Amino acid sequence: MYRMTLAALCALAACVPAQRPAGFRDLSVPISSSTAFDPARFQGQWQIVGAFGDAARCGVLDEEWRIGAAAFVVTGTRCTLSGAAGYRTAARLSGPGRVLRDGPGGAEEIWILWVDADYRVAAFGTPNGGFGGILARPGQARDDLITAAREVLDFNGYDISQLQVLR
C-alpha cells in the first residue's frame, strides 16, 4: 500500500508544471557586472531605450546620474501603474559595475553589465532578473550599439524576446 501511495504521489508531482522564475532572466545562467565601469564617465543624461515587461509601457524615460558626496544622485522618470512619474534617489557604488539604488520597494542592487567604450549605450540588470534594460545617451542609440547591448543581456541569461526596444 505504501508503494502504491508513493507511486501515485510521484505521478501527481510529475504533472505539476515547473515553477517559472518571477523575472526576465534564467537564474541558472551566470551574470557578471562590468569591472571596467567608470562612475565619472557614467554620470550625465541617459534615456531608458530598452525595457522588459510593464516597464516598457511608458516609452522612453529620462534619467540623470550625478556624482554626489557619497553616492550618485539620480533624477528622472520611472514607469508606475498610473504612468510615468518623476523621482529622485541615491545610488551608492556597491562593487565593480554595481550600484545599490533606493527605490519604492527598498534598495536594489543594479548591475551595469556592459557599457560601450565611449559611454553612449549601457546594458543593466538585476541578478534576480526582475529588472533590466538598455540605457543610451540622448541621440546616441545607434542600431549596432543596441544590438550589442541586447547580446550582452542575452549572454547574461535575459530572455530578450521579452525586451522592448523603445524609440
Side-chain angles (χ1 to χ4, degrees), residues 67-90:
I67 295 178
F72 280 108
V73 175
V74 185
T75 57
T77 51
R78 68 172 182 232
C79 197
T80 68
L81 293 174
S82 57
Y87 74 94
R88 179 183 173 97
T89 191

Side-chain angles (χ1 to χ4, degrees), residues 31-33 94 97-99 109-114 123-127:
I31 186 172
S32 62
S33 60
S94 56
R98 300 174 187 185
V99 291
E109 192 170 52
I110 298 172
W111 290 19
I112 307 302
L113 306 174
W114 170 84
F124 67 93
T126 55

Side-chain angles (χ1 to χ4, degrees), residues 7-8 19 28 39 43 46 88 93 98 128 141 154 157 166:
Q19 293 291 324
S28 69
Q43 71 176 338
W46 290 95
R88 179 183 173 97
L93 292 176
R98 300 174 187 185
N128 68 9
D154 183 43
L166 312 165

Side-chain angles (χ1 to χ4, degrees), residues 21-64:
F24 302 99
R25 197 177 89 71
D26 178 350
L27 301 180
S28 69
V29 175
I31 186 172
S32 62
S33 60
S34 173
T35 58
F37 177 73
D38 181 351
R41 293 186 69 199
F42 195 76
Q43 71 176 338
Q45 296 287 355
W46 290 95
Q47 293 179 317
I48 298 174
V49 297
F52 291 94
D54 287 343
R57 76 180 184 297
C58 294
V60 175
L61 299 174
D62 295 315
E63 290 189 339
E64 182 176 4

